[in-house]
Amino acid sequence: MQHLTLFTLALTLIATICLAKSPYQSVLQHSKIRGRQHGPNVCAMQKIQGTDKKYFTNCKQWYHRKICGKPTVISYECCPGYEKLSGEKGCPAALPLVNIYNTLGTVGATTTKMYSERAQLREEIEGPGSFTFFAPSNQAWAALPTEILDALVSNVNIELLNALHYHMVNRRLTSEDLKHGSAFPSMYQDFNVHIHHYPNGIVTVNCARLVKTDQHATNGIVHIVDRVITAVTNNVHTFIDTDDDLETLRNSLSYRTLLPFPTSFEKIPTEMRNRILGDPVALRDLLNYHILKNMQCAESITSGTPLETLQGTVLEVGCDGTDMTLNGKAIVQKKDQLGTNGVVHYINELLIPDSAKTLLELAQGSVVTTATKLFVDAGLGSHLSGSETLTILTPQNEAFKEGVTMTGELKKLLKNHILKEKLSSSLLYHRQELETLGGIKLRVLVYRNSLCIENSCIAAHDKTGRFGSMFTVDKVLTPPMGTIMDVLKADDRFSLLVGAIQTAGMTELMNQAGPHTVFAPTNDAFSALPKADLNKLMGNPQELAGVLKYHMAKEILVSGGVGSHTRLKPLQGDKLELNMRNQTVYINKVPVVEADLMASNGVVHAVGAIIKPLCKSNRFTTVNLSCLF
């Protein structure tokens, strides 16, 4: 019965939240649920430590106890429209319904109430009508620059009255009526106030955050906002046309935008700057990368959020304390310059999207610096900084041995890390062939959890530049060098295996088109067998062929395709069990001593022991095929 009651309660809470009509109402409902143990109509609030900023709490904030990266403390306060009663738990009493003028005094807007009387607005907001008053909090008035406040209060009958009228709408608007992107004519010359209602429950008017909503009055409704708002008369276009500092960006006419100071252009290398300014496609992408598809006021940000730009990729828009951040950097110098069709944030660092970069510029990242330097040292910089349509495979730094030096062989190898077309990894398919600048063909290998080109598997998302793409890979590429038999013959470690293959009559098989995966026992693996068993095996070509075929599969499996539990069907016998432990591949518990020797018809992995079937019994301690057949 107790479980049923709890289940019913949980369903009720879920249903209550789901029935909330707006993001703000959803967050408010969550705050009520978190505060219910303290009595009726109590809301949980999160306050950023060291500030006066408070927020109704959503699930993420509740569990993380952070807003804008700063720790918060929980307080429990009366929900909007309610107040405490002496001796009773929670906030059982609804606030008395009085006119707007008196409501201002009970909801923390006493300064607005005082200025309303000075500006002779009291009679209007005490009288008949139905108004919405976006009333600045006491802290909002205190935060106004002294010269602006002095100008207002020195001309109360005009400037102050006009300012207060701009905070008013001549109709009742609840939080449910404040839809995202809506605008309402104010009572100051019908200039619009602009509403944005964000998915995290934050509501703004002219980018000022509503900190208390839905304070009902007999003649309207009061919403407390965290700043004094000013009339918006210009669009974003006008900002750009009239601001001398933005001459470089005159052609960036845009909606909902982030604009850099022109000095930020001077911070990028001259060659790169001139190239972008001279390339209309790259310049368009750069400018569009500074424009968000949706209007985002600074006060709407409580944590990092990826937001789509007109360029088509995303910017991580976040905050660190009071600083607004872009891609983790606090580069916003001036926030919330509101226009009629968007908002401008001034930044002091140019944001350069990948789509405006050359391949060499794409490769200049922290995880591929070694490869980038080697490409330049190999004389391949002109290919990577020009307009050729290419794809570069850049191994991560840890893929290279320390102190790697340039040699003729390495130059040739690096040239085969550059593909002759601009590719997207999402369009690659299994067994696809890709041609390199070095003139060889590389195979695409698709596995359940990895995508590889020969032995190199893609380790990060593609970067798509102006003319080419960059794939970050986990290993230095090993191009295929002849057939499997050629690979074995070229390595002295496999001389006994080569003889065994010839004895078993399998040379033609090793040269066939494949694909094949061969787990190749080294000379040490054969030498580890008892001499009598080895002689017996070598003297029986049919039995020898069975053992060797148990070391082969008719598919290509590179080490990057091996997961925690991978199976292969050998050419003869039961399954092979593979797994990866500590960067080493194991086959039936036998470790691979060197992986990914790539051949034109498959791949060779060197093993230090003869692979035996994983039998349930431990009777088979020498070479014995009864587990296989």
Side-chain angles (χ1 to χ4, degrees):
M1 185 67 182
Q2 183 180 9
H3 291 300
L4 181 61
T5 303
L6 290 173
F7 179 70
T8 304
L9 178 60
L11 286 179
T12 303
L13 294 177
I14 292 170
T16 303
I17 295 173
C18 291
L19 288 173
K21 297 179 181 180
S22 69
Y24 167 77
Q25 288 295 334
S26 295
V27 173
L28 178 63
Q29 190 65 44
H30 189 277
S31 287
K32 287 180 178 179
I33 292 170
R34 293 294 177 186
R36 67 184 184 276
Q37 61 182 325
H38 294 271
N41 305 314
V42 173
C43 284
M45 303 288 290
Q46 295 221 38
K47 179 180 178 182
I48 301 177
Q49 292 185 21
T51 74
D52 292 323
K53 282 195 168 187
K54 294 179 182 178
Y55 296 79
F56 293 114
T57 181
N58 60 31
C59 289
K60 183 177 179 180
Q61 291 166 354
W62 176 263
Y63 290 110
H64 288 183
R65 293 290 202 275
K66 281 188 177 181
I67 293 175
C68 286
K70 303 301 179 185
T72 60
V73 292
I74 303 294
S75 62
Y76 296 92
E77 303 179 9
C78 292
C79 296
Y82 294 92
E83 64 179 349
K84 292 182 175 295
L85 283 181
S86 179
E88 295 196 28
K89 187 177 181 180
C91 304
L95 285 171
L97 208 60
V98 294
N99 59 49
I100 285 178
Y101 178 77
N102 289 320
T103 298
L104 293 173
T106 63
V107 295
T110 53
T111 304
T112 300
K113 181 179 181 182
M114 175 187 69
Y115 285 140
S116 296
E117 185 158 9
R118 285 194 191 181
Q120 299 181 4
L121 183 62
R122 175 175 179 173
E123 183 179 351
E124 185 174 0
I125 58 178
E126 279 185 329
S130 186
F131 309 112
T132 297
F133 203 141
F134 297 104
S137 65
N138 295 342
Q139 294 85 354
W141 287 105
L144 267 186
T146 303
E147 62 274 14
I148 294 178
L149 185 58
D150 287 347
L152 289 174
V153 298
S154 64
N155 193 349
V156 293
N157 292 331
I158 298 177
E159 297 297 337
L160 184 58
L161 180 62
N162 288 343
L164 291 171
H165 267 151
Y166 185 64
H167 288 74
M168 294 176 62
V169 174
N170 197 13
R171 56 180 284 197
R172 181 188 296 263
L173 297 169
T174 69
S175 60
E176 287 298 303
D177 299 316
L178 302 178
K179 307 296 185 184
H180 188 68
S182 58
F184 300 98
S186 74
M187 294 177 64
Y188 170 56
Q189 297 184 12
D190 286 338
F191 286 132
N192 282 341
V193 292
H194 300 270
I195 306 298
H196 289 89
H197 195 142
Y198 296 95
N200 61 1
I202 289 176
V203 183
T204 63
V205 53
N206 286 24
C207 286
R209 181 169 68 93
L210 274 63
V211 293
K212 286 185 181 179
T213 60
D214 298 330
Q215 306 292 331
H216 291 270
T218 55
N219 59 344
I221 197 164
V222 175
H223 304 289
I224 307 301
V225 295
D226 68 350
R227 72 180 75 164
V228 178
I229 62 175
T230 55
V232 178
T233 57
N234 294 325
N235 59 28
V236 172
H237 186 167
T238 306
F239 273 119
I240 299 166
D241 273 352
T242 58
D243 193 329
D244 292 337
D245 285 336
L246 298 177
E247 183 176 0
T248 313
L249 299 170
R250 294 287 187 234
N251 294 326
S252 172
L253 305 183
S254 189
Y255 177 54
R256 304 173 177 129
T257 176
L258 298 156
L259 292 177
F261 284 129
T263 53
S264 61
F265 277 93
E266 307 303 322
K267 294 181 181 180
I268 64 174
T270 302
E271 183 180 350
M272 185 181 192
R273 180 174 69 247
N274 292 340
R275 177 183 60 76
I276 292 175
L277 291 175
D279 181 348
V281 174
L283 181 59
R284 182 195 63 219
D285 278 359
L286 181 143
L287 295 173
N288 282 339
Y289 189 56
H290 290 76
I291 303 166
L292 298 179
K293 281 190 172 181
N294 296 294
M295 178 169 162
Q296 208 73 33
C297 293
E299 284 297 324
S300 70
I301 306 294
T302 58
S303 61
T305 307
L307 297 175
E308 190 175 358
T309 68
L310 287 187
Q311 180 262 345
T313 55
V314 298
L315 278 173
E316 181 77 14
V317 181
C319 52
D320 183 7
T322 58
D323 291 326
M324 186 176 177
T325 62
L326 298 176
N327 290 344
K329 297 181 179 180
I331 58 175
V332 179
Q333 299 296 294
K334 187 164 44 171
K335 299 180 285 189
D336 293 341
Q337 304 301 297
L338 192 66
T340 56
N341 63 336
V343 62
V344 177
H345 306 288
Y346 289 82
I347 60 178
N348 65 0
E349 183 176 311
L350 202 63
L351 303 169
I352 304 176
D354 288 345
S355 61
K357 295 178 181 179
T358 65
L359 277 173
L360 194 59
E361 290 161 353
L362 284 180
Q364 290 169 342
S366 57
V367 298
V368 292
T369 50
T370 302
T372 306
K373 181 179 183 303
L374 289 172
F375 279 121
V376 174
D377 293 346
L380 298 169
S382 60
H383 292 288
L384 305 184
S385 58
S387 58
E388 295 176 80
T389 53
L390 304 169
T391 297
I392 182 174
L393 307 178
T394 50
Q396 296 171 320
N397 290 343
E398 53 265 33
F400 294 94
K401 296 178 180 177
E402 287 189 20
V404 61
T405 56
M406 185 55 59
T407 63
E409 193 63 30
L410 182 55
K411 286 182 181 180
K412 182 180 177 182
L413 179 60
L414 289 170
K415 198 169 185 180
N416 286 320
H417 280 71
I418 303 175
L419 307 174
K420 282 187 174 181
E421 55 186 314
K422 184 178 181 179
L423 299 166
S424 166
S425 64
S426 63
L427 298 177
L428 298 181
Y429 55 89
H430 193 55
R431 303 286 296 277
Q432 181 181 1
E433 289 191 339
L434 310 172
E435 188 175 358
T436 72
L437 283 186
I440 67 169
K441 296 289 183 68
L442 303 177
R443 294 159 297 189
V444 176
L445 304 170
V446 179
Y447 302 105
R448 183 178 299 276
N449 296 312
S450 56
L451 175 64
C452 307
I453 299 173
E454 295 297 334
N455 64 305
S456 299
C457 299
I458 295 174
H461 292 298
D462 304 359
K463 288 191 173 185
T464 303
R466 174 67 178 91
F467 301 106
S469 300
M470 184 184 89
F471 297 165
T472 300
V473 294
D474 61 348
K475 298 182 185 73
V476 177
L477 181 77
T478 301
M481 304 297 291
T483 66
I484 287 173
M485 200 63 183
D486 293 330
V487 171
L488 296 175
K489 285 181 176 180
D491 194 324
D492 291 340
R493 291 177 299 173
F494 302 120
S495 59
L496 292 179
L497 175 60
V498 169
I501 290 170
Q502 293 168 341
T503 299
M506 294 174 57
T507 302
E508 184 179 348
L509 177 62
M510 296 295 182
N511 285 320
Q512 284 178 356
H516 297 301
T517 296
V518 175
F519 300 102
T522 62
N523 293 345
D524 290 340
F526 282 101
S527 298
L529 292 174
K531 193 165 185 179
D533 290 335
L534 179 59
N535 290 337
K536 179 183 175 184
L537 185 62
M538 291 299 186
N540 187 335
Q542 185 177 358
E543 187 175 354
L544 178 60
V547 172
L548 294 179
K549 287 180 179 180
Y550 188 60
H551 289 69
M552 293 183 65
K554 199 167 180 58
E555 60 181 283
I556 299 180
L557 179 63
V558 297
S559 60
V562 177
S564 59
H565 188 72
T566 303
R567 290 181 176 181
L568 276 182
K569 173 66 177 173
L571 294 187
Q572 191 164 324
D574 202 0
K575 63 183 180 293
L576 293 167
E577 298 275 358
L578 294 91
N579 58 72
M580 179 77 76
R581 298 200 309 269
N582 299 324
Q583 308 301 313
T584 298
V585 177
Y586 288 81
I587 313 100
N588 288 10
K589 301 183 180 180
V590 173
V592 170
V593 295
E594 185 177 353
D596 301 332
L597 304 174
M598 306 306 296
S600 59
N601 60 341
V603 61
V604 174
H605 304 291
V607 292
I610 301 295
I611 300 172
K612 302 172 186 177
L614 295 173
C615 301
K616 292 183 180 179
S617 169
N618 292 324
R619 294 182 294 119
F620 307 103
T621 56
T622 62
V623 176
N624 189 316
L625 301 184
S626 59
C627 287
L628 293 172
F629 312 113

